Every structure is written in C-alpha cells, then in structure tokens.
Amino acid sequence: ARLRVAQGQLSAASADYRSALAQLPGKEHRVEIYFEWASHLSARGAGRYADALQVLDGAAETLGQNVALQELAIRIEISSGNPEGALTRIDSLLDGSLRGSPGWILRRAEILQASGKTEEALEAYRQTLASIYKIPARRRMVTAIRALEEKATAQIAKLES
C-alpha cells in the first residue's frame, strides 16, 4: 500500500489497505492502518478529504470510537471547511468516554470562535474552566491543565472585552 501511495496509485493502495485490514487480528494494528490510510488520502488535498473521512468513519464502525482517529477526522473536517462536522465529532467524544474533558471542551471553543460563533465559544470556554475546577486541586497543578486554564481564561477576557 505504501509503495502504491508513493506512486500515486491511490485506488490500488486503498485495495491493499483493505486487504491488510482483513488479515490483521489485532485492534491496535488496525488503528494504525486506518490512520495511515486516511492520512495518505487527506494529504492529497481537498479532493480526497471525503474519502479520508469515509475511511475514518468505517474505522469507527469497525473498531468503535478511537481518539487518535477522531482527532485526525476533526483536523480533516476543519481543513475541508466544515467546522460543523468537526464540532459534531467533538460532541460525540464528549458524550462518550471523554465526557467533561477540558482539553476537548477547549478545542470545541476554539472551533466555535474561529467560526465566528462568539457567544457559543464564550460559553464553551467557561465550560472548560468549570471542567478544570472539577479536577482535584493537586491534579490541576499539572502543567498541561494549567495551560488549558490560562488559555481559557485569556480567551474569555478577550471575548468579553
């Protein structure tokens, strides 16, 4: 499949990826194949975004939700000019195993803000902070959580001014 991608033979590469997926027993390796396949398709530009998303949606049907695959799908949705699609995917993650995840809530706020939905973005930034404040104080001191808090606070101040 990789050789065919390098040669620009995407249809043949897709057939090879399908064949590899059919032969692999482990879920972990399947995630890698789906990720690689969709990445190669999306790297070919806007004309292949729909194909890449179709691969990732097929992966979700087969493997269930996978954060890495959904993150790739979100990036593709944004690149294709479909922030609503990205938001739908984030909402799906937040409704599932990542409920209340401040990082994903912040990502949602950023997409809303970039889409010109200021009030919704402001609310999502506030939800980010609320989610952070539910984390035990000791864990909130972790650099990554503090960075999320600082970013959300700064964006709230910016949008309220």
Side-chain angles (χ1 to χ4, degrees):
R2 292 175 183 148
L3 179 61
R4 291 185 195 268
V5 167
Q7 295 172 338
Q9 300 173 2
L10 294 182
S11 294
S14 291
D16 289 347
Y17 280 120
R18 280 188 203 92
S19 176
L21 287 165
Q23 296 174 35
L24 286 174
K27 182 178 178 179
E28 178 182 323
H29 296 294
R30 288 179 185 217
V31 169
E32 292 171 16
I33 297 290
Y34 279 117
F35 191 93
E36 181 178 310
W37 183 8
S39 294
H40 285 305
L41 288 169
S42 67
R44 297 290 186 212
R48 302 301 283 207
Y49 288 156
D51 295 333
L53 290 170
Q54 186 176 16
V55 166
L56 294 168
D57 289 341
E61 288 177 21
T62 303
L63 304 174
Q65 250 187 26
N66 177 282
V67 175
L69 296 177
Q70 283 301 316
E71 171 63 26
L72 178 58
I74 290 163
R75 288 195 318 258
I76 294 168
E77 294 280 17
I78 291 168
S79 295
S80 69
N82 185 14
E84 291 302 319
L87 290 169
T88 298
R89 290 175 187 279
I90 289 173
D91 289 343
S92 175
L93 289 170
L94 289 170
D95 288 343
S97 63
L98 297 177
R99 181 179 314 279
S101 168
W104 284 101
I105 299 169
L106 180 72
R107 183 79 188 272
R108 185 176 193 288
E110 292 168 338
I111 294 169
L112 288 165
Q113 185 177 2
S115 301
K117 298 180 178 182
T118 306
E119 290 304 316
E120 290 178 65
L122 188 56
E123 179 57 30
Y125 285 122
R126 289 180 181 133
Q127 289 172 357
T128 301
L129 291 178
S131 178
I132 289 170
Y133 297 145
K134 290 180 183 175
I135 297 171
R138 190 171 67 222
R139 282 198 49 226
R140 282 198 312 259
M141 301 317 289
V142 172
T143 303
I145 300 297
R146 289 178 53 197
L148 293 173
E149 182 179 14
E150 289 170 10
K151 189 166 191 174
T153 301
Q155 290 302 315
I156 289 169
K158 179 180 175 182
L159 292 174
E160 287 181 336
S161 63

